[in-house]
Amino acid sequence: MAEPASLLGTRIAVVDDHRLLAQMMVEHLNQRGGEAVTADVADVGLVATLERLEPDVILLDAVFHDDENGGLRVLHEMADSDAEIVMLTGVTDTLRHAEFLDAGAVAVISKADSFDGVLRQVEDIISGFDPMGATRRAELARQLAGHRKRLADDDHDALSSLTDRERATVQNLVDGMTVDEIASVRTVAPSTVRSQVRSVLQKLGAHSQIEAVSIAARQGMHPSVA
C-alpha cells in the first residue's frame, strides 16, 4: 500500500507527556511518510528545541503532567513560528479548545478519538483540509466571546464596588508599586495599605495582587504616565 502523499517529507514534532503515546505517534507518522520526532515536555528549553527542529507541524499536548497550562504557554511562545500547531489533547472543556484556537492553534484533536482517527485528522490538516469544520469553529468562537463578555461584565461590576481610595490603590498596583511604596507616598502605615489591598482583593474576587491587576487591565486601567 502506497504511503499517503500528504505526509511525505513533512517534519513533525510530537510533544506529549505520555512518552509511549508520543513514540507510537512518531512511529506511525514515519510509516506514513512523515519525518517525525518527539520533544520532551520536561525540557526547560522546549521552545528553543522546537525552534531548532524547525518542524512543519507540531502535535502539542495541552497538559504537561500536572501543569494544565503547559501547552498553552508553548502555543503562545511559538506564536511567531512558521509551524502549524495542532493541540492533541484529552481536555474536554470546549472553552479551553476555543482558547487554543484563539491563541493560534490550527486545530484541536481529541485523544478520545481512535488512534487511526487521530492520524487521519493530522493527514487532513497537512493536506490543507479542516477536520474541525467551519460550524464547530464558529460555535467555539461564540462560546469564547460570550465567556469573555461575562468576565468583563463581572469585572466592571466589581470595580464599580470599590471606594475612591480602593480604586486609587488598584491604580497604584497597576503602576507596579509595592505596599511599602504606596504607604510612603500616602504617608500612612503599611498596615493601612495592606488592609485596603485585602478589601480590594475581596471585592474583586481576586486571589492575588497580580490577579487584581489583571482584572483592572481588562477594564482598561493602564499604568499612569510619569
Side-chain angles (χ1 to χ4, degrees):
M1 181 175 176
E3 294 172 335
S6 59
L7 290 187
L8 290 178
T10 303
R11 298 187 301 276
I12 306 166
V14 181
V15 184
D16 199 293
D17 64 0
H18 193 304
R19 292 188 178 182
L20 179 58
L21 174 62
Q23 193 57 48
M24 288 174 59
M25 289 291 299
V26 164
E27 291 176 1
H28 282 75
L29 290 168
N30 285 340
Q31 288 172 7
R32 298 189 182 204
E35 298 176 5
V37 296
T38 61
D40 192 347
V41 300
D43 181 359
V44 294
L46 176 58
V47 171
T49 296
L50 290 172
E51 290 174 342
R52 185 172 63 254
L53 290 172
E54 297 185 337
D56 300 304
V57 176
I58 299 173
L59 300 183
L60 179 62
D61 195 5
V63 179
F64 295 175
H65 301 298
D66 294 328
D67 185 354
E68 294 188 357
N69 292 313
L72 189 58
R73 279 200 308 276
V74 172
L75 184 57
H76 282 299
E77 291 181 42
M78 297 290 293
D80 295 331
S81 168
D82 292 331
E84 293 189 318
I85 302 179
V86 180
M87 301 304 290
L88 178 59
T89 177
V91 173
T92 58
D93 184 351
T94 54
L95 273 177
R96 293 292 305 281
H97 292 190
E99 288 178 346
F100 299 149
L101 295 175
D102 187 63
V106 297
V108 180
I109 299 177
S110 173
K111 288 184 178 180
D113 293 341
S114 68
F115 195 79
D116 283 342
V118 170
L119 291 177
R120 281 195 298 272
Q121 290 179 74
V122 172
E123 290 175 6
D124 283 345
I125 292 166
I126 293 174
S127 299
F129 297 106
D130 181 6
M132 297 185 67
T135 300
R136 184 182 174 199
R137 288 178 180 275
E139 175 56 29
L140 289 174
R142 281 194 294 271
Q143 287 184 27
L144 183 59
H147 174 68
R148 286 176 172 171
K149 184 180 185 304
R150 288 190 294 274
L151 284 178
D153 289 343
D154 290 345
D155 291 347
H156 176 74
D157 292 342
L159 281 174
S160 297
S161 71
L162 301 181
T163 65
D164 290 343
R165 178 58 69 187
E166 289 168 344
R167 193 175 182 86
T169 298
V170 174
Q171 182 64 63
N172 293 146
L173 295 176
V174 170
D175 290 341
M177 297 174 67
T178 66
V179 166
D180 287 342
E181 288 170 342
I182 297 171
S184 177
V185 168
R186 293 185 185 171
T187 320
V188 297
S191 60
T192 299
V193 178
R194 280 194 288 271
S195 177
Q196 292 170 351
V197 170
R198 284 195 297 271
S199 180
V200 165
L201 296 183
Q202 182 178 14
K203 288 183 178 181
L204 296 185
H207 297 92
S208 67
Q209 293 181 26
I210 292 175
E211 187 176 357
V213 168
S214 177
I215 291 171
R218 288 201 297 263
Q219 286 298 306
M221 188 177 287
H222 304 295
S224 303
V225 177

